C-alpha cells in the first residue's frame, strides 16, 4: 500500500511514503522511540502529518538521497508488517475465564502460534489477541472451541459415604487416574477431615 514520490530540493532529498494513519502511532513508537532509532540509524528526518493536515497518510523522509531511500525501504517494510497484523477481542464466559486464561493454557498456545500475544482482561472477562492475521484467527478459533467444550461439560454429583473414598481413590490415586484417563472426565473428592 505504500508508494514513493521523489523530489530533489537542492542538496536535500525527500521521499513520501503513504501509510494508513492508524499505523502512525506504531511507526513513531512510544515517546518517539522508533523514529529516534531510525533517525540515528539513517541520519534522516521524518515528518508525520499534523492533525490539521488534509493528507493524513503521507510521511515525508528528508536527508541525503541514499540514506532517505534506505530509510524509506525500512519504513515500507514496517508498514507491510503492520498491514499483516490483526487484533481481536473475544468475550469469555466468567465461569471459564480463569481456566481459559491460565498460564497453562495461554503459554503453549502462544508458543504454538508464534508471534501471537494473548492479554487477559479480567475486569471485562475478555481476551485481547494480537499478532499476524492468520495466527490471531487460529487463536480465536481455539479459544472459542475451548469455550464450547467447557460449555458442553456436565457436572454430576454423586454422594458416596466418606468411609469408601479411600477404596475408590485407590493406592496413590491409581483408580481415579484410570477413571479420568479412560473417560476424559475430572473427579474430585471433598477434602479429608483432620
Amino acid at each position: 500500500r505504500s508508494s514513493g514520490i521523489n523530489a530533489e530540493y537542492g542538496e536535500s532529498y525527500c521521499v513520501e511514503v503513504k501509510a494508513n494513519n492508524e499505523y502512525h502511532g506504531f511507526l513513531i513508537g512510544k515517546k518517539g522511540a522508533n523514529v529516534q532509532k531510525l533517525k540515528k540509524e539513517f541520519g534522516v528526518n521524518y515528518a508525520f502529518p499534523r492533525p490539521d493536515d488534509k493528507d493524513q497518510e503521507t510521511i515525508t523522509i528528508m536527508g541525503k538521497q541514499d540514506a532517505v531511500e534506505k530509510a524509506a525501504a525500512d519504513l515500507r517494510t514496517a508498514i507491510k508488517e503492520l498491514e499483516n497484523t490483526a487484533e481481536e477481542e473475544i468475550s469469555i464466559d466468567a465461569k471459564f475465564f480463569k481456566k481459559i486464561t491460565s498460564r497453562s493454557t495461554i503459554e503453549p498456545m502462544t508458543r504454538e502460534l508464534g508471534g501471537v500475544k494473548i492479554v487477559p482482561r479480567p475486569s471485562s472477562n475478555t481476551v485481547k489477541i494480537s499478532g499476524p492475521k492468520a495466527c490471531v484467527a487460529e487463536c480465536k478459533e481455539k479459544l472459542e472451541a475451548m469455550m464450547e467444550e467447557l460449555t458442553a461439560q456436565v457436572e454430576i454429583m454423586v454422594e458416596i459415604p466418606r468411609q469408601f473414598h479411600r477404596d475408590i481413590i485407590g493406592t496413590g490415586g491409581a483408580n481415579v487416574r484410570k477413571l479420568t484417563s479412560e473417560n476424559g472426565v475430572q473427579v474430585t473428592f471433598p477434602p479429608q477431615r483432620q
Side-chain angles (χ1 to χ4, degrees):
R1 270 237 263 147
S2 55
S3 64
I5 303 167
N6 304 339
E8 198 83 27
Y9 294 103
E11 291 186 24
S12 186
Y13 186 77
C14 294
V15 170
E16 292 180 343
V17 177
K18 297 279 188 187
N20 186 321
N21 67 345
E22 292 175 10
Y23 302 155
H24 291 192
F26 296 105
L27 296 170
I28 293 168
K30 193 173 187 177
K31 296 184 180 179
N34 295 343
V35 170
Q36 293 305 320
K37 180 181 162 243
L38 293 173
K39 281 182 177 182
K40 202 174 204 178
E41 185 178 338
F42 298 109
V44 296
N45 283 313
Y46 290 82
F48 282 80
R50 291 184 307 271
D52 59 337
D53 286 345
K54 190 174 183 178
D55 178 358
Q56 287 292 306
E57 293 192 345
T58 302
I59 302 164
T60 306
I61 308 168
M62 300 149 286
K64 293 183 179 175
Q65 184 172 350
D66 63 329
V68 167
E69 288 174 357
K70 287 177 186 172
D74 193 80
L75 187 62
R76 287 184 184 108
T77 300
I79 292 165
K80 276 194 168 105
E81 287 173 11
L82 286 169
E83 288 173 338
N84 189 35
T85 60
E87 196 172 273
E88 288 273 352
E89 189 165 285
I90 61 171
S91 294
I92 308 287
D93 189 317
K95 61 186 171 208
F96 307 133
F97 191 81
K98 274 189 174 177
K99 177 149 181 70
I100 288 178
T101 62
S102 70
R103 186 176 288 166
S104 63
T105 301
I106 289 179
E107 283 182 359
M109 199 175 294
T110 55
R111 273 195 305 276
E112 179 189 339
L113 304 170
V116 78
K117 186 176 178 185
I118 304 169
V119 180
R121 296 189 168 157
S123 61
S124 60
N125 287 328
T126 60
V127 172
K128 180 179 160 188
I129 312 163
S130 56
K133 284 181 183 176
C135 295
V136 168
E138 189 174 344
C139 183
K140 182 180 177 186
E141 283 177 24
K142 286 179 182 269
L143 290 173
E144 287 172 342
M146 284 177 74
M147 281 192 297
E148 281 181 36
E149 188 177 308
L150 289 168
T151 303
Q153 289 182 357
V154 177
E155 186 176 303
I156 298 173
M157 220 160 155
V158 179
E159 285 191 41
I160 300 171
R162 190 171 294 277
Q163 72 257 27
F164 301 119
H165 288 192
R166 282 192 178 167
D167 293 332
I168 293 170
I169 293 170
T171 307
N175 294 343
V176 171
R177 274 197 304 280
K178 182 179 179 195
L179 184 66
T180 58
S181 66
E182 287 178 359
N183 299 291
V185 297
Q186 282 186 324
V187 178
T188 57
F189 286 84
Q192 294 291 330
R193 286 191 201 134
Q194 299 298 342

